[in-house]
Each structure stands twice: as C-alpha cells, then as structure tokens.
Amino acid sequence: MNADVQKYVSSIGITLDRFIAQRQSDFPYAKGELSQLLRDIGLAAKVVNKAIMNSGLIGIEGPAGEQNSSGEDQQKLDVVANVRFIRALTRGGEVCAVISEEEDEMIDTGNHNAKYVVAMDPLDGSSNIDVNMPLGSIFSVYRRKSPIGTPPTIEDVLQRGTEQVAAGYIIYGSSNMLVYTTGHGVNGFTYDFSIGEFILSHPNMRSQDDGKIFSYNEGNLYDFPQGIQDFIEHCRQNKFSARYVGALVADVHRNLLKGGIFLYPATKKAPKGKLRLMFECNALAFLVEQAGGVATDGEQRILEIVPTEMHQRCPFIVGSKAMVEKVTEMLKAHKEVLA
Ligand code: AHG
Ligand code: MN
Ligand code: MN
C-alpha cells in the first residue's frame, strides 16, 4: 500500500470482525475457531446491550427472585445476560463447556468436538442495573485439557489464569465498548449503533506506569488488612482522586485509561475477598497485564493462583504498576512488623 493510501486506511475505524480476521495471523496454526468464538461474544454483547438499554421499558429491571451459587440475589438482567451469552457460545459451536457466575455447575454445550472452554461473569455490577449506571460482562477463554470428541470435564474449566488464550470485557456505559486480548496487547472497540458494529477506537491500550486514582468501597475500610489501610492513607496524603463506580469492569476500565488502582481486599465479612477468581479476576488480570499493569491478591500474581473450585473468591488488587507495587510493599511491611 503506498503512503498516500495508507493515511486513509489506519487501523482505527475497522470493524471488530475484520480486526479479528486480520489478527488470526498472530497464531500461525489457528484454524479460525478462536476468531469465530470472539465474534460470537461480540454478537452476544450487542444483544445484551440492547436488553440493558430497553430494560426500563420491557419490564426486566429488578430482582429475578432467585439466588445464584454465591448466595447473591439474581437480577432479571443477570439471568437475561447469562442466557444470551450461553446461547451464542453454544450455537457458535467453538466451545465445549461454559462456566458462569450465574450457574451452579459447568454447562456442557454438547459441542464435544470444540476445543475451547469459556468462564464468564455475564453481567457485572448488578447493583447498578436499576439506577442507570455502568454495567459490564467479563470473559476468559481456555483451551480444553480433555481429548477432543469427549465430554468436557471439570479439569477443562479449572485452569490457572496463565492458561488463558483470550480474555476481555464489555462495558455498557455512556458508550458500549468491547475490550479484549489474545496475549498480543489489548484493543478496544466502540459500538456504533447506526451500523450495528463494534469499531476499533482504542488500539494497543497501555496502562500508565503510575496513577492518581484509587478505587475501593470506603464502607469496608476498617475491615481491610492494615497494609491496605496504610496505602489508602498514603493516597489521601497525596491528594489522589477516590473513584468507585461499584461495577468492577467500569472501575478497571477507567483506571486502565487514566492510571489508577482498584482494590477489593479481604474483609471481615468476606475473608477470602468478594470477587470471583474464575469469572472476574483472571480475565481482568490477564488483560491488565497485557496492557503493562499488575494484578495480585496481595501475596501472589492472580494468574498463578491454582483454582480448586469454580466459584472461589480472592482478594483483588489491580492497576498501574507503581501503585500495585506500593500497596504490596505496605502489606509486606506490616506482615514483617507482626512477625
Ligand atoms: P456482580 O454484579 O457480578 O456480582 O459483581 C459485583 C462486584 C463488582 O462489580 C464490584 O466491583 C463489587 O461487586 C462491588 O461490591 P461492593 O458493593 O461490596 O463494593
Ligand atoms: Mn461481577
Ligand atoms: Mn455478575
């Protein structure tokens, strides 16, 4: 392509589907299944976005009347999003099993010749549903361990975060975006309603090395480990900005773009933390690391935690490298004092 033409054909503005097709060459032996899987997620995202936008009009706000396996009240939109993603992934044919925050057990899609499994939080930030605030969806993709052609097993879905082949999130905010990685950087796409396509708007997203935003639930402060409380005090002394949306995806997205840290540590009420390793933390940890940031439970890298059960929780600290390193040091210093 000559230079005159090149300037009109920058990668910004290309559709998600075309971008995925172009990026398939990052995987020399890929046959296109992962590309198809990512397109299926893109399709489900559009359907869920439509449901969210119309939720106040078609009677799908409010509680569904059931609890999920974590004992949380399901909202109607949690259920809608769960069904939409599972349906898209099952019909797409590239996934043999799905685990979801909203399902007690692993779902066998029946596609036993498929080589991928997906873990997901279909709707993140449910407390924002009825108040017109940002929501999200989070997904992780793994290669199955069991032989192709056989039913999926629990070992297929209980893998360490380091084994992810792709991960991402969708944010339903003042605009609708899909952000994903396949381990070759992070790219963000904004939905254009008029043409019904996600369009590349944020190529090669990078986490700033340091930041000035800190995000945590203030009501839990005195329940946090002392090292975390020390770090919060450090942020206050330095007049950093406190920002907390209550939807993890939105908080992580903002901090990724602006530089900052998100913390959901262990509390007295939730001694293992609140957020879920397989559905929330692993995907965001992979993505933020790919952008140059860091994710830890305070002691070890999130991606190296060996999962023992589908719905397990972990403390989650994620964001700009220097800020995460600072809080990790403070946690360590306090432990040494105690020792
Ligand atoms: P979910 O709606 O998928 O259960 O996730 C809610 C999570 C997360 O999005 C958010 O950061 C956190 O819960 C907020 O929890 P608190 O209300 O305890 O601060
Ligand atoms: Mn969530
Ligand atoms: Mn959820």
Side-chain angles (χ1 to χ4, degrees), residues 164-199:
Q164 290 170 99
V165 292
Y169 60 80
I170 296 121
I171 177 166
Y172 313 95
S174 48
S175 74
N176 177 207
M177 283 187 71
L178 187 151
V179 179
Y180 83 98
T181 182
T182 52
H184 297 266
V186 177
N187 291 284
F189 300 78
T190 302
Y191 187 58
D192 182 335
F193 284 91
S194 61
I195 55 171
E197 298 271 11
F198 282 104
I199 305 288

Tab-separated table of all heavy atoms in Angstrom, residues 164-199:
chain	number	residue	atom	x	y	z
A	164	GLN	N	-4.975	-18.807	30.016
A	164	GLN	CA	-5.981	-18.162	29.152
A	164	GLN	C	-5.404	-17.905	27.754
A	164	GLN	O	-4.265	-17.459	27.627
A	164	GLN	CB	-6.420	-16.812	29.747
A	164	GLN	CG	-7.252	-16.955	31.008
A	164	GLN	CD	-7.470	-15.617	31.711
A	164	GLN	OE1	-8.496	-15.009	31.571
A	164	GLN	NE2	-6.483	-15.184	32.464
A	165	VAL	N	-6.213	-18.164	26.746
A	165	VAL	CA	-5.778	-17.832	25.381
A	165	VAL	C	-6.395	-16.505	24.924
A	165	VAL	O	-5.902	-15.869	23.994
A	165	VAL	CB	-6.103	-18.939	24.353
A	165	VAL	CG1	-5.272	-20.170	24.622
A	165	VAL	CG2	-7.571	-19.294	24.342
A	166	ALA	N	-7.462	-16.104	25.599
A	166	ALA	CA	-8.071	-14.797	25.302
A	166	ALA	C	-8.905	-14.395	26.511
A	166	ALA	O	-9.318	-15.250	27.292
A	166	ALA	CB	-8.973	-14.871	24.072
A	167	ALA	N	-9.098	-13.108	26.665
A	167	ALA	CA	-9.949	-12.605	27.752
A	167	ALA	C	-10.371	-11.191	27.406
A	167	ALA	O	-9.714	-10.514	26.599
A	167	ALA	CB	-9.182	-12.606	29.083
A	168	GLY	N	-11.456	-10.773	28.029
A	168	GLY	CA	-11.883	-9.405	27.758
A	168	GLY	C	-13.082	-9.005	28.585
A	168	GLY	O	-13.547	-9.754	29.440
A	169	TYR	N	-13.538	-7.798	28.318
A	169	TYR	CA	-14.756	-7.311	28.969
A	169	TYR	C	-15.552	-6.466	27.994
A	169	TYR	O	-15.026	-5.976	26.992
A	169	TYR	CB	-14.445	-6.517	30.243
A	169	TYR	CG	-13.591	-5.281	30.085
A	169	TYR	CD1	-14.128	-4.076	29.633
A	169	TYR	CD2	-12.238	-5.310	30.405
A	169	TYR	CE1	-13.343	-2.936	29.512
A	169	TYR	CE2	-11.443	-4.180	30.284
A	169	TYR	CZ	-12.005	-2.991	29.837
A	169	TYR	OH	-11.225	-1.867	29.702
A	170	ILE	N	-16.829	-6.360	28.321
A	170	ILE	CA	-17.703	-5.436	27.597
A	170	ILE	C	-18.170	-4.443	28.633
A	170	ILE	O	-18.502	-4.832	29.757
A	170	ILE	CB	-18.897	-6.184	26.969
A	170	ILE	CG1	-18.378	-7.166	25.906
A	170	ILE	CG2	-19.871	-5.214	26.309
A	170	ILE	CD1	-18.715	-8.561	26.147
A	171	ILE	N	-18.148	-3.168	28.297
A	171	ILE	CA	-18.660	-2.156	29.223
A	171	ILE	C	-19.883	-1.501	28.596
A	171	ILE	O	-19.851	-1.124	27.423
A	171	ILE	CB	-17.562	-1.138	29.627
A	171	ILE	CG1	-18.125	-0.048	30.518
A	171	ILE	CG2	-16.859	-0.520	28.454
A	171	ILE	CD1	-17.064	0.783	31.227
A	172	TYR	N	-20.977	-1.497	29.382
A	172	TYR	CA	-22.211	-0.861	28.939
A	172	TYR	C	-22.288	0.441	29.725
A	172	TYR	O	-22.778	0.459	30.855
A	172	TYR	CB	-23.418	-1.757	29.241
A	172	TYR	CG	-23.217	-3.211	28.824
A	172	TYR	CD1	-22.769	-4.165	29.751
A	172	TYR	CD2	-23.452	-3.625	27.514
A	172	TYR	CE1	-22.583	-5.491	29.377
A	172	TYR	CE2	-23.254	-4.950	27.137
A	172	TYR	CZ	-22.819	-5.878	28.074
A	172	TYR	OH	-22.622	-7.192	27.714
A	173	GLY	N	-21.695	1.486	29.182
A	173	GLY	CA	-21.604	2.756	29.907
A	173	GLY	C	-22.161	3.875	29.048
A	173	GLY	O	-23.117	3.673	28.294
A	174	SER	N	-21.525	5.046	29.134
A	174	SER	CA	-22.014	6.152	28.303
A	174	SER	C	-21.819	5.808	26.832
A	174	SER	O	-22.481	6.342	25.954
A	174	SER	CB	-21.314	7.463	28.670
A	174	SER	OG	-19.925	7.255	28.729
A	175	SER	N	-20.883	4.893	26.547
A	175	SER	CA	-20.915	4.199	25.264
A	175	SER	C	-20.697	2.720	25.567
A	175	SER	O	-20.334	2.356	26.684
A	175	SER	CB	-19.856	4.742	24.297
A	175	SER	OG	-18.571	4.302	24.697
A	176	ASN	N	-20.925	1.873	24.567
A	176	ASN	CA	-20.772	0.423	24.744
A	176	ASN	C	-19.452	0.035	24.079
A	176	ASN	O	-19.240	0.310	22.909
A	176	ASN	CB	-21.978	-0.248	24.057
A	176	ASN	CG	-21.941	-1.763	24.083
A	176	ASN	OD1	-22.507	-2.397	23.211
A	176	ASN	ND2	-21.289	-2.339	25.062
A	177	MET	N	-18.547	-0.576	24.884
A	177	MET	CA	-17.241	-0.963	24.332
A	177	MET	C	-16.946	-2.432	24.589
A	177	MET	O	-17.378	-2.988	25.603
A	177	MET	CB	-16.125	-0.147	24.986
A	177	MET	CG	-16.009	1.264	24.464
A	177	MET	SD	-14.525	2.049	25.153
A	177	MET	CE	-13.213	1.177	24.279
A	178	LEU	N	-16.186	-3.027	23.689
A	178	LEU	CA	-15.655	-4.374	23.897
A	178	LEU	C	-14.128	-4.251	23.867
A	178	LEU	O	-13.570	-3.661	22.933
A	178	LEU	CB	-16.155	-5.305	22.797
A	178	LEU	CG	-15.820	-6.792	22.954
A	178	LEU	CD1	-16.905	-7.649	22.290
A	178	LEU	CD2	-14.470	-7.166	22.378
A	179	VAL	N	-13.485	-4.755	24.916
A	179	VAL	CA	-12.024	-4.659	25.044
A	179	VAL	C	-11.508	-6.079	25.226
A	179	VAL	O	-12.040	-6.822	26.067
A	179	VAL	CB	-11.643	-3.785	26.260
A	179	VAL	CG1	-10.130	-3.693	26.417
A	179	VAL	CG2	-12.255	-2.383	26.134
A	180	TYR	N	-10.523	-6.494	24.417
A	180	TYR	CA	-10.051	-7.872	24.585
A	180	TYR	C	-8.567	-8.013	24.284
A	180	TYR	O	-7.939	-7.132	23.699
A	180	TYR	CB	-10.895	-8.846	23.738
A	180	TYR	CG	-10.470	-8.956	22.283
A	180	TYR	CD1	-9.661	-10.010	21.862
A	180	TYR	CD2	-10.873	-8.029	21.330
A	180	TYR	CE1	-9.269	-10.128	20.530
A	180	TYR	CE2	-10.488	-8.146	20.003
A	180	TYR	CZ	-9.688	-9.195	19.605
A	180	TYR	OH	-9.295	-9.309	18.296
A	181	THR	N	-8.031	-9.157	24.724
A	181	THR	CA	-6.646	-9.516	24.416
A	181	THR	C	-6.585	-10.982	24.041
A	181	THR	O	-7.373	-11.794	24.544
A	181	THR	CB	-5.707	-9.249	25.612
A	181	THR	OG1	-4.368	-9.576	25.218
A	181	THR	CG2	-6.076	-10.084	26.846
A	182	THR	N	-5.654	-11.309	23.162
A	182	THR	CA	-5.349	-12.724	22.918
A	182	THR	C	-3.892	-12.965	23.302
A	182	THR	O	-3.250	-13.884	22.805
A	182	THR	CB	-5.578	-13.123	21.435
A	182	THR	OG1	-4.860	-12.200	20.613
A	182	THR	CG2	-7.036	-13.131	21.065
A	183	GLY	N	-3.355	-12.096	24.169
A	183	GLY	CA	-1.965	-12.250	24.582
A	183	GLY	C	-1.005	-11.479	23.680
A	183	GLY	O	0.212	-11.642	23.768
A	184	HIS	N	-1.553	-10.644	22.804
A	184	HIS	CA	-0.721	-9.798	21.935
A	184	HIS	C	-1.218	-8.360	22.068
A	184	HIS	O	-1.651	-7.748	21.098
A	184	HIS	CB	-0.827	-10.252	20.474
A	184	HIS	CG	-0.318	-11.633	20.234
A	184	HIS	ND1	0.966	-11.899	19.821
A	184	HIS	CD2	-0.924	-12.829	20.387
A	184	HIS	CE1	1.129	-13.213	19.712
A	184	HIS	NE2	-0.007	-13.794	20.054
A	185	GLY	N	-1.212	-7.838	23.298
A	185	GLY	CA	-1.691	-6.475	23.516
A	185	GLY	C	-3.205	-6.437	23.706
A	185	GLY	O	-3.890	-7.465	23.653
A	186	VAL	N	-3.689	-5.222	23.948
A	186	VAL	CA	-5.104	-5.028	24.293
A	186	VAL	C	-5.710	-4.015	23.321
A	186	VAL	O	-5.111	-2.967	23.060
A	186	VAL	CB	-5.218	-4.471	25.735
A	186	VAL	CG1	-6.672	-4.197	26.104
A	186	VAL	CG2	-4.588	-5.429	26.732
A	187	ASN	N	-6.878	-4.336	22.800
A	187	ASN	CA	-7.530	-3.416	21.871
A	187	ASN	C	-8.984	-3.203	22.260
A	187	ASN	O	-9.653	-4.146	22.704
A	187	ASN	CB	-7.429	-3.962	20.442
A	187	ASN	CG	-5.994	-3.907	19.935
A	187	ASN	OD1	-5.498	-2.846	19.570
A	187	ASN	ND2	-5.311	-5.034	19.979
A	188	GLY	N	-9.449	-1.969	22.084
A	188	GLY	CA	-10.807	-1.611	22.491
A	188	GLY	C	-11.638	-1.153	21.293
A	188	GLY	O	-11.148	-0.418	20.424
A	189	PHE	N	-12.909	-1.564	21.291
A	189	PHE	CA	-13.826	-1.296	20.183
A	189	PHE	C	-15.068	-0.612	20.721
A	189	PHE	O	-15.618	-1.030	21.742
A	189	PHE	CB	-14.229	-2.613	19.503
A	189	PHE	CG	-13.046	-3.358	18.937
A	189	PHE	CD1	-12.213	-4.100	19.780
A	189	PHE	CD2	-12.727	-3.279	17.594
A	189	PHE	CE1	-11.098	-4.757	19.285
A	189	PHE	CE2	-11.612	-3.930	17.087
A	189	PHE	CZ	-10.790	-4.670	17.928
A	190	THR	N	-15.532	0.417	20.048
A	190	THR	CA	-16.741	1.135	20.481
A	190	THR	C	-17.885	0.782	19.540
A	190	THR	O	-17.686	0.724	18.318
A	190	THR	CB	-16.481	2.657	20.475
A	190	THR	OG1	-15.363	2.916	21.342
A	190	THR	CG2	-17.689	3.436	20.966
A	191	TYR	N	-19.055	0.551	20.140
A	191	TYR	CA	-20.208	0.142	19.328
A	191	TYR	C	-20.817	1.347	18.616
A	191	TYR	O	-21.104	2.368	19.245
A	191	TYR	CB	-21.249	-0.512	20.249
A	191	TYR	CG	-22.404	-1.121	19.504
A	191	TYR	CD1	-22.190	-2.100	18.542
A	191	TYR	CD2	-23.702	-0.722	19.771
A	191	TYR	CE1	-23.249	-2.661	17.854
A	191	TYR	CE2	-24.772	-1.288	19.096
A	191	TYR	CZ	-24.536	-2.251	18.128
A	191	TYR	OH	-25.586	-2.802	17.452
A	192	ASP	N	-20.970	1.203	17.313
A	192	ASP	CA	-21.645	2.234	16.529
A	192	ASP	C	-23.059	1.740	16.231
A	192	ASP	O	-23.253	0.826	15.426
A	192	ASP	CB	-20.847	2.480	15.225
A	192	ASP	CG	-21.470	3.579	14.377
A	192	ASP	OD1	-22.699	3.818	14.499
A	192	ASP	OD2	-20.732	4.210	13.590
A	193	PHE	N	-24.038	2.332	16.928
A	193	PHE	CA	-25.430	1.892	16.793
A	193	PHE	C	-25.922	1.988	15.358
A	193	PHE	O	-26.673	1.155	14.894
A	193	PHE	CB	-26.350	2.795	17.642
A	193	PHE	CG	-26.274	2.496	19.090
A	193	PHE	CD1	-25.367	3.147	19.902
A	193	PHE	CD2	-27.125	1.559	19.658
A	193	PHE	CE1	-25.300	2.871	21.249
A	193	PHE	CE2	-27.061	1.273	21.005
A	193	PHE	CZ	-26.147	1.931	21.803
A	194	SER	N	-25.482	3.057	14.661
A	194	SER	CA	-26.079	3.311	13.352
A	194	SER	C	-25.742	2.205	12.366
A	194	SER	O	-26.519	1.942	11.449
A	194	SER	CB	-25.630	4.671	12.820
A	194	SER	OG	-24.224	4.668	12.667
A	195	ILE	N	-24.590	1.537	12.539
A	195	ILE	CA	-24.269	0.457	11.598
A	195	ILE	C	-24.250	-0.912	12.292
A	195	ILE	O	-24.001	-1.933	11.660
A	195	ILE	CB	-22.937	0.706	10.866
A	195	ILE	CG1	-21.782	0.930	11.854
A	195	ILE	CG2	-23.046	1.874	9.900
A	195	ILE	CD1	-20.422	0.963	11.184
A	196	GLY	N	-24.477	-0.913	13.622
A	196	GLY	CA	-24.560	-2.195	14.341
A	196	GLY	C	-23.238	-2.932	14.425
A	196	GLY	O	-23.198	-4.165	14.393
A	197	GLU	N	-22.136	-2.196	14.517
A	197	GLU	CA	-20.817	-2.852	14.551
A	197	GLU	C	-19.956	-2.263	15.669
A	197	GLU	O	-20.040	-1.057	15.957
A	197	GLU	CB	-20.041	-2.581	13.251
A	197	GLU	CG	-20.686	-3.109	12.000
A	197	GLU	CD	-20.288	-4.541	11.668
A	197	GLU	OE1	-19.661	-5.218	12.518
A	197	GLU	OE2	-20.613	-4.981	10.558
A	198	PHE	N	-19.100	-3.124	16.269
A	198	PHE	CA	-18.031	-2.633	17.130
A	198	PHE	C	-16.882	-2.169	16.225
A	198	PHE	O	-16.441	-2.913	15.346
A	198	PHE	CB	-17.513	-3.744	18.046
A	198	PHE	CG	-18.406	-4.014	19.218
A	198	PHE	CD1	-19.233	-5.123	19.242
A	198	PHE	CD2	-18.414	-3.145	20.304
A	198	PHE	CE1	-20.062	-5.376	20.328
A	198	PHE	CE2	-19.242	-3.385	21.399
A	198	PHE	CZ	-20.067	-4.502	21.401
A	199	ILE	N	-16.397	-0.947	16.472
A	199	ILE	CA	-15.369	-0.351	15.620
A	199	ILE	C	-14.121	-0.068	16.468
A	199	ILE	O	-14.229	0.482	17.572
A	199	ILE	CB	-15.877	1.007	15.045
A	199	ILE	CG1	-17.215	0.829	14.319
A	199	ILE	CG2	-14.830	1.647	14.148
A	199	ILE	CD1	-17.130	0.107	13.003
